Amino acid sequence: MWIYEKKLEYPVKIKNPNPQIAQVIISQLGGPDGELGASMRYLHQRYSSPDSKVTGILTDIGTEELAHLEIVAAILHQLTKNLTPDQIAGTPFATYFVDHTVGTYPVAASGVPFDMKYVGVKGDIITDLHEDLAAEQKARTTYDNILRLVDDPDVRDPIKFLREREIVHYQRFGDALRMVQDKLDSKNFYAINPSYDRKNK
């Protein structure tokens, strides 16, 4: 499935380490709307997709989310590399440091570790694609919030790239939803699915 290029999808070159910013960015690593959850969601949903084109979209976006996970991890690494305990003490990052030093561990900004309950997989393509559309908008909002809090242009640049990709993914999932709905009789979604209704048998 993969051909791995040993370079980031988008470059990360942060000159000034900053534990406060790292504490904010970390939500997009392991938070409820972060890149780890997105990759797991789409790469698991693809198996129950009834349409090969939609499966392809889920696979494409799911693998790109792994690349985004790598970008976020690179941002975190560069923001915390070579920090001394004195630089970390008294910052919100100190509680993370106690448990993980400056290792890259998937948690939310609130400190809650990543949980697979963030990953919505229902096995119904209409439901799953609506989940995906919402997930992309929630991730876009999280990136918006990060941009509201972060001034460092070296951090903002890759974050802006990641935000733009959330919008593209939202559009592609919209295309996928249209593809699926065009193949269904109107009675097969939202209100009733005759194949599951015993009265119709």
Side-chain angles (χ1 to χ4, degrees):
M1 179 188 294
W2 292 288
I3 298 172
Y4 178 66
E5 288 190 55
K6 295 183 179 181
K7 66 177 183 178
L8 294 177
E9 182 186 10
Y10 192 86
V12 176
K13 296 178 182 178
I14 296 169
K15 294 184 284 294
N16 300 309
N18 187 315
Q20 291 95 332
I21 293 177
Q23 184 65 30
V24 172
I25 299 292
I26 205 159
S27 247
Q28 280 305 90
L29 186 75
D33 306 308
E35 304 293 356
L36 179 56
S39 63
M40 293 297 97
R41 180 182 303 109
Y42 310 145
L43 291 176
H44 286 84
Q45 286 176 352
R46 64 188 288 275
Y47 289 100
S48 55
S49 167
D51 184 288
S52 61
K53 289 183 180 177
V54 174
T55 300
I57 290 171
L58 289 163
T59 305
D60 289 348
I61 296 175
T63 53
E64 186 178 354
E65 300 292 13
L66 291 173
H68 294 175
L69 185 67
E70 193 174 35
I71 292 170
V72 174
I75 294 169
L76 289 167
H77 174 69
Q78 292 181 27
L79 283 170
T80 59
K81 183 173 64 173
N82 300 325
L83 286 175
T84 67
D86 286 344
Q87 291 172 306
I88 293 169
T91 72
F93 192 74
T95 53
Y96 177 94
F97 178 81
V98 168
D99 292 331
H100 309 291
T101 318
V102 293
T104 304
Y105 181 79
V107 299
S110 61
V112 177
F114 176 77
D115 194 316
M116 279 298 288
K117 69 184 175 187
Y118 300 151
V119 178
V121 179
K122 203 67 173 176
D124 177 284
I125 195 61
I126 300 290
T127 305
D128 283 346
L129 288 170
H130 278 282
E131 170 81 16
D132 301 344
L133 287 160
E136 293 298 324
Q137 286 300 316
K138 288 187 281 186
R140 191 263 312 153
T141 300
T142 303
Y143 282 126
D144 283 345
N145 290 338
I146 289 170
L147 289 168
R148 290 179 178 111
L149 296 173
V150 173
D151 293 329
D152 186 335
D154 292 342
V155 179
R156 290 176 61 86
D157 184 53
I159 293 298
K160 286 179 182 178
F161 168 79
L162 292 166
R163 181 193 181 280
E164 288 171 7
R165 296 307 298 165
E166 304 298 345
I167 295 167
V168 172
H169 294 172
Y170 179 80
Q171 292 167 338
R172 290 200 68 201
F173 283 133
D175 293 338
L177 184 60
R178 281 186 290 278
M179 280 187 251
V180 170
Q181 289 178 331
D182 286 347
K183 293 181 179 179
L184 293 176
D185 183 280
S186 62
K187 289 188 285 189
N188 284 339
F189 57 97
Y190 300 125
I192 184 172
N193 187 330
S195 65
Y196 293 119
D197 188 346
R198 293 183 184 189
K199 293 177 185 176
N200 292 340
K201 290 185 177 179

